[in-house]
Amino acid sequence: MPGTFDAVLKRVAGDPARAGIADLVCLLAVEGAERQAQLFRLADAIRAREMGDAVHLRGVLEFSSYCQADCYYCGLRASNSGAKRYRLRPEAIFEQAKRGATLGLGTIVLQSGEDPWYDRNTLSRLIARIARETPLAITLSLGERSYADLQAFREAGAHRYLLKHETSDRRLYRRLRPARSLSRRLRLLSWLRRLGYQVGSGCIVGLPGQTLSSLAQDIKMLRDLDVEMVGAGPFIPHPATPLGTSEPGSVDLTLKVVAVTRLLVPSAHIAATTAMATLHPQGRELALQAGANVVMPNLTPIEYRRQYEIYPAKACLDETTEHCLGCLRGRIEDIGRTLGHGRGDSPKWHTGEVTGDAGQRRR
Ligand code: SF4
């Protein structure tokens, strides 16, 4: 038995390396406004101690909505023949990156479905140009690529890679990601580590069939991977997918996942996701007060945003990036936080703890 909530909270925060699944389930299961607030306050204090008060902005550019994978929870899945698809040409991607830098963003996240149209050389040239001609940190979120691709992108100048493990429950993983495996996903994450990327991972909260125990395992996995970045957002069903009639994930449970993740991975950059803002008007602010320290404004040209529909009715679809930045600044200041400046690298990056193959680091 893990003990009372108070004792478990104290023990996990004091010695996260020894926290077990039963401890994490105890924290995730906590009910009642006062106890949940206690969890969120402690996560927020650890965030302040480890990461400071700055909230870092990462500009997300969704440059292709084509995807060869078929995830049951995603509107971009290959089987969704009703989806309208688009691809931005490398020149257009570069122009958007430059716009992000001009707007004062420190990081660009190049995100797409798994789209082999962008081959190794095309992406390497694009990454090298952004690295050469802008001060931006470059984060990739391209899904599963070969080792040779990941190596080439890193050598071209990419700094970070986001690859959510989605769920650590092997049975659920097999069911929801046909023709994919958790083992391969974990192998890719180990490659990213070896190549010297700042590594991001995370899970979806509230998938049909998911248990608290599998969410606890998700968080433990993030600790064991010692990730530099985390994204954990609520599941939102898309009507044109096999999970279209399922219930969405809960905002409360997602906040608990964010908070417990902060206890276990104290120095990670943790996102307050747009999915949270989609389910709750103050979803991002709530996450920022429960351990998160990153928000991700959308840099995608407005005319394409509706076509990048992982889930419907996404927040901030029609606002210009300039408007979003002003709005986010206000929201951040309203909760007593400040806007981050510069690239907002992992604290480990500065101490040289993120290591990779010879010559691959801190470019
Ligand atoms: S979740 Fe990612 S890999 Fe899966 S279908 Fe959607 S875009 Fe493709």
Side-chain angles (χ1 to χ4, degrees):
M1 278 296 287
T4 65
F5 170 76
D6 288 341
V8 173
L9 185 59
K10 195 166 164 211
R11 191 171 67 237
V12 170
D15 193 0
R18 288 168 66 97
I21 295 297
D23 294 326
L24 305 187
V25 169
C26 168
L27 299 182
L28 292 172
V30 66
E31 296 290 349
E34 181 41 42
R35 289 206 152 165
Q36 289 190 26
Q38 197 183 338
L39 169 63
F40 300 156
R41 271 196 306 272
L42 182 57
D44 196 43
I46 292 172
R47 182 275 309 155
R49 184 189 76 204
E50 299 289 328
M51 311 300 281
D53 280 341
V55 175
H56 296 284
L57 302 183
R58 320 299 201 194
V60 183
L61 177 54
E62 299 151 340
F63 65 88
S64 166
S65 65
Y66 284 84
C67 187
Q68 62 184 2
D70 215 19
C71 307
Y72 275 32
Y73 45 78
C74 176
L76 301 187
R77 66 197 304 262
S79 297
N80 182 9
S81 54
K84 287 192 190 149
R85 312 275 178 174
Y86 69 92
R87 286 189 178 106
L88 294 189
R89 301 276 153 179
E91 184 62 33
I93 299 173
F94 176 74
E95 289 305 321
Q96 291 302 323
K98 252 188 11 192
R99 189 169 71 94
T102 307
L103 290 170
L105 294 169
T107 294
I108 184 158
V109 182
L110 298 179
Q111 187 170 82
S112 67
E114 279 187 24
D115 185 358
W117 186 89
Y118 299 87
D119 62 18
R120 186 183 309 158
N121 288 338
T122 305
L123 281 176
S124 296
R125 276 198 301 273
L126 172 67
I127 291 164
R129 187 171 178 206
I130 296 173
R132 198 171 52 241
E133 297 185 34
T134 78
L136 294 165
I138 303 168
T139 302
L140 304 179
S141 176
L142 314 173
E144 301 186 7
R145 306 284 302 214
S146 70
Y147 185 88
D149 283 359
L150 298 173
Q151 184 170 32
F153 303 156
R154 180 77 186 96
E155 286 173 358
H159 306 94
R160 311 174 188 152
Y161 204 106
L162 298 174
L163 189 73
K164 285 190 190 176
H165 67 268
E166 314 288 15
T167 174
S168 59
D169 179 330
R170 283 181 197 276
R171 198 180 42 82
L172 202 55
Y173 196 101
R174 258 199 314 276
R175 187 157 71 78
L176 300 183
R177 304 201 75 224
R180 303 296 165 118
S181 78
L182 182 60
S183 309
R184 174 166 168 77
R185 200 76 166 178
L186 294 176
R187 189 159 62 246
L188 281 157
L189 284 162
S190 75
W191 289 349
L192 295 170
R193 171 66 70 221
R194 193 190 312 166
L195 289 165
Y197 283 96
Q198 295 173 54
V199 178
S201 195
C203 59
I204 305 171
V205 180
L207 288 167
Q210 191 178 46
T211 61
L212 285 189
S213 167
S214 91
L215 277 173
Q217 187 63 48
D218 288 326
I219 299 170
K220 183 171 172 296
M221 188 174 275
L222 294 169
R223 179 193 69 191
D224 296 345
L225 290 166
D226 196 19
V227 291
E228 284 78 46
M229 302 171 289
V230 175
F235 163 67
I236 303 178
H238 187 295
T241 65
L243 303 183
T245 56
S246 304
E247 286 296 311
S250 120
V251 168
D252 270 4
L253 182 56
T254 308
L255 288 172
K256 288 188 259 184
V257 168
V258 166
V260 177
T261 302
R262 175 59 71 197
L263 303 191
L264 253 67
V265 201
S267 65
H269 285 299
I270 300 179
T273 61
T274 306
M276 282 292 277
T278 301
L279 287 189
H280 188 292
Q282 268 80 48
R284 275 180 299 220
E285 291 93 314
L286 291 171
L288 287 172
Q289 295 171 98
N293 69 322
V294 163
V295 291
M296 303 176 82
N298 199 335
L299 258 184
T300 310
I302 287 180
E303 62 266 35
Y304 296 116
R305 286 190 197 165
R306 282 185 195 283
Q307 294 174 46
Y308 200 86
E309 195 178 66
I310 292 175
Y311 55 83
K314 194 176 183 180
C316 312
L317 273 181
D318 296 317
E319 288 78 11
T320 62
T321 309
E322 289 81 349
H323 176 91
C324 279
L325 292 178
C327 168
L328 286 172
R329 179 193 296 273
R331 288 170 182 259
I332 289 165
E333 288 171 357
D334 282 351
I335 57 168
R337 303 277 280 280
T338 57
L339 214 55
H341 294 290
R343 297 179 5 159
D345 282 307
S346 160
K348 285 191 258 170
W349 190 252
H350 297 297
T351 59
E353 275 178 70
V354 181
T355 58
D357 291 337
Q360 300 301 309
R361 296 173 44 213
R362 307 185 72 179
R363 198 194 285 251

